[in-house]
């Protein structure tokens, strides 16, 4: 099934943002990235804000679909090592290939949302199956406030991913194990 034009343009905008940052995110750059005639992007998204909103909505949709899929096909971990391995694999995916591209764009949008509250509303973390998997594991281990600990754990993992995008390297199993251990205390 072919991708509709708006989705194609939003995906191209994600690419441009990941590769060139906000200064490089222009209607013309998106036209080029989408391999479409000049003016196509501005015909669909008249303003930069409209383009940015479409880009953020697309990022959130892709992330939610990915997290939902991971959570649905991953059974609740039986022990801390299984949880550590799953989170470490996910962090690794966020640092390479398609995951890296989306991570770079997502963090740029998060910073931009400081100046654009409407983007912040779109970027608010949402419930998904991966989040539930972590929360259910922590609850099964007797953690009193499993929801709050899940948020803290996943926020810390997000911080490690951000750090490695900026400074290079990978997120180690040892680092994730430390976070999981702290969440279980």
């Amino acid at each position: 099934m072919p991708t509709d034009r708006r989705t194609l343009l939003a995906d191209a905008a994600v690419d441009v943002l990941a590769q060139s940052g906000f200064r490089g995110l222009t209607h013309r750059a998106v036209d080029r990235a989408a391999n479409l005639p000049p003016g196509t992007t501005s015909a669909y998204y008249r303003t930069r804000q409209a383009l940015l909103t479409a880009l953020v909505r697309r990022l959130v949709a892709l992330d939610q679909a990915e997290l939902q899929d991971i959570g649905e096909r991953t059974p609740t971990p039986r022990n801390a090592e299984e949880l550590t391995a799953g989170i470490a694999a996910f962090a690794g995916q966020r640092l390479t290939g398609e995951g890296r591209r989306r991570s770079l764009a997502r963090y740029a949008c998060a910073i931009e949302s400081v100046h654009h509250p409407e983007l912040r509303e779109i970027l608010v973390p949402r419930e998904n199956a991966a989040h539930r998997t972590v929360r259910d594991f922590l609850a099964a281990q007797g953690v009193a406030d499993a929801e709050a600990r899940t948020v803290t754990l996943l926020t810390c993992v997000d911080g490690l991913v951000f750090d490695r995008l900026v400074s290079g390297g990978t997120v180690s199993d040892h680092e994730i194990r430390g976070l999981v251990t702290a969440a279980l205390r």
Side-chain angles (χ1 to χ4, degrees), residues 80-81 83-92 160 164 170-181:
E81 284 305 311
L83 181 62
T84 297
I87 292 174
F90 176 73
L160 287 171
R164 301 313 141 71
T170 61
V171 176
S172 72
D173 288 358
H174 175 75
E175 290 170 306
I176 301 297
R177 188 174 301 108
L179 294 173
V180 168
T181 299

Side-chain angles (χ1 to χ4, degrees), residues 40-126:
T40 303
T41 302
S42 62
Y44 284 86
Y45 302 111
R46 293 293 304 149
T47 65
R48 180 178 170 82
Q49 189 60 38
L51 177 60
L52 187 55
T53 300
L55 180 161
V56 172
R57 287 186 192 286
R58 181 65 175 152
L59 273 174
V60 169
L62 290 168
D63 285 349
Q64 282 298 108
E66 176 186 44
L67 292 167
Q68 190 66 28
D69 180 58
I70 289 169
E72 287 174 355
R73 62 183 162 79
T74 305
T76 299
R78 293 173 292 187
N79 55 50
E81 284 305 311
E82 285 185 10
L83 181 62
T84 297
I87 292 174
F90 176 73
Q93 291 171 354
R94 289 289 170 113
L95 292 170
T96 59
E98 170 73 14
R100 177 179 176 77
R101 177 185 76 91
R102 286 200 341 246
S103 293
L104 288 167
R106 181 182 322 97
Y107 292 127
C109 289
I111 291 169
E112 188 69 13
S113 76
V114 169
H115 306 291
H116 298 281
E118 67 280 4
L119 296 180
R120 204 171 323 133
E121 286 299 315
I122 301 167
L123 288 166
V124 168
R126 287 163 173 65

